[in-house]
Amino acid sequence: MNAKQETPQRTGLPEGWFRRPAVARIDNFLTGGCDNYFPDRHLAGLLMESAPWLPNMVKINQRHRPHAVTTLARDLGITQFLDLGCGLPSGWNKKRQCHDPALTYEAARSVHEDARVVYVDHDLMVCAHANFAMAESLSTTAVQADIHKIGELLDAPGIHDLDRSQPIAALAHDLLPWVSDEEAEAAMAGLREWLPAGSAISITHATTDMAPEAMEALVDHYAEAGIAYRPRSLEQIQAFLGPWSALPPGIVPTAQWRTEHRNVHRMPSAAHSFAYAAAITEALPAGP
């Protein structure tokens, strides 16, 4: 949680929890979920007035998560995943009898039956949903921690469920736009230092490159609600990747990442990404 603690209610949640918007619940509303409240819907309405494509942008990002997980599990053989800022789970598709899109642990276990996932979020409501998912899978753990404090996050007890003698994939999807430049740099540097050899980091990040005026309006709407939102340019995002190497095709609009293994027929228009995606691994040492 943030440094300033609030008095908990009988629900165990801080006072005023349901009277102010939350990013995870806004995304839930934008993707057709029901785990949201009036303040979330009100702010979402203002956001969509400025950016009518925002629901598609969120859906593309949501569908990218299992796509990235299966890619890293299949191509790099990774069996452990650290899902940072995991957000609320996707909805249940009654017709297909599955979460749509797949949850992180479902995507990972579709490749490796023994895959392990640690979900991390600062939002108490999100962690409650993640704990419910744990009842369905013994190979998952939920940790309440804040990316603003990367050192404390990586030292949290639940993180120790991951075996650091083996590669780990960290997911930082739509995570860095909600922290300052300094915090984003510290988070990425901390992850690169903490992750064992053979690991990877998958990132998605909203950008100002594709619709600068609309993005500026979103920044203003969030700011009026007390939420700092920082979409960034390609150059700024690229700088966060540091010395690690990007897997092909590099850093590209989210819907264009590894399309050869993606069901594009179930994706919103690729033109509505308004964000970049990349997956990076530690660069190999130079030859003699």
Side-chain angles (χ1 to χ4, degrees), residues 63 67 96 258-267:
R63 291 195 174 280
H67 176 55
R96 302 179 67 220
R258 295 289 183 100
T259 56
E260 67 274 15
H261 295 297
R262 171 176 270 161
N263 187 346
V264 295
H265 300 294
R266 304 188 65 242
M267 285 281 286

Side-chain angles (χ1 to χ4, degrees), residues 37-268:
Y37 303 94
F38 174 76
D40 311 306
R41 297 188 286 270
H42 175 69
L43 180 52
L46 297 176
L47 297 171
M48 287 189 289
E49 286 181 8
S50 297
W53 36 259
L54 185 60
N56 278 346
M57 177 185 174
V58 174
K59 289 175 183 175
I60 288 172
N61 185 72
Q62 190 181 59
R63 291 195 174 280
H64 182 72
R65 177 177 271 106
H67 176 55
V69 169
T70 54
T71 299
L72 296 176
R74 182 189 62 240
D75 294 0
L76 301 186
I78 294 178
T79 62
Q80 301 183 100
F81 293 85
L82 179 62
D83 193 347
L84 300 167
C86 57
L88 290 164
S90 55
W92 184 257
N93 187 314
K94 293 181 179 179
K95 183 177 180 180
R96 302 179 67 220
Q97 286 296 293
C98 63
H99 288 101
D100 187 20
L103 305 183
T104 299
Y105 86 89
E106 293 170 332
R109 292 187 67 185
S110 71
V111 183
H112 302 290
E113 288 187 4
D114 59 346
R116 175 167 290 281
V117 175
V118 174
Y119 294 103
V120 180
D121 208 288
H122 78 283
D123 189 315
L124 284 166
M125 183 175 175
V126 169
C127 289
H129 279 273
N131 276 310
F132 180 76
M134 288 170 59
E136 301 179 15
S137 172
L138 297 177
S139 60
T140 62
T141 303
V143 175
Q144 185 190 353
D146 197 328
I147 194 64
H148 291 82
K149 302 173 182 178
I150 187 64
E152 293 181 16
L153 185 156
L154 294 174
D155 197 41
I159 302 294
H160 299 166
D161 285 353
L162 296 170
D163 179 3
R164 290 182 63 204
S165 70
Q166 299 296 323
I168 299 168
L171 309 181
H173 292 181
D174 190 32
L175 181 70
L176 301 183
W178 309 100
V179 300
S180 69
D181 291 349
E182 294 76 16
E183 289 165 332
E185 291 171 1
M188 291 296 289
L191 285 171
R192 290 193 301 268
E193 181 179 356
W194 180 85
L195 289 167
S199 296
I201 304 174
S202 176
I203 179 176
T204 66
H205 197 305
T207 184
T208 53
D209 291 348
M210 302 168 191
E213 292 183 2
M215 279 295 177
E216 183 177 353
L218 295 186
V219 170
D220 291 342
H221 287 311
Y222 275 118
E224 289 170 2
I227 300 171
Y229 181 51
R230 302 175 181 85
R232 296 179 170 99
S233 68
L234 175 61
E235 290 75 15
Q236 290 173 308
I237 299 167
Q238 184 79 50
F240 291 145
L241 305 185
W244 284 20
S245 299
L247 297 176
I251 181 167
V252 296
T254 309
Q256 296 177 18
W257 193 84
R258 295 289 183 100
T259 56
E260 67 274 15
H261 295 297
R262 171 176 270 161
N263 187 346
V264 295
H265 300 294
R266 304 188 65 242
M267 285 281 286

Side-chain angles (χ1 to χ4, degrees), residues 8-19:
Q9 306 176 101
R10 291 181 181 178
T11 59
L13 297 173
E15 184 178 358
W17 187 261
F18 303 110
R19 294 198 296 271

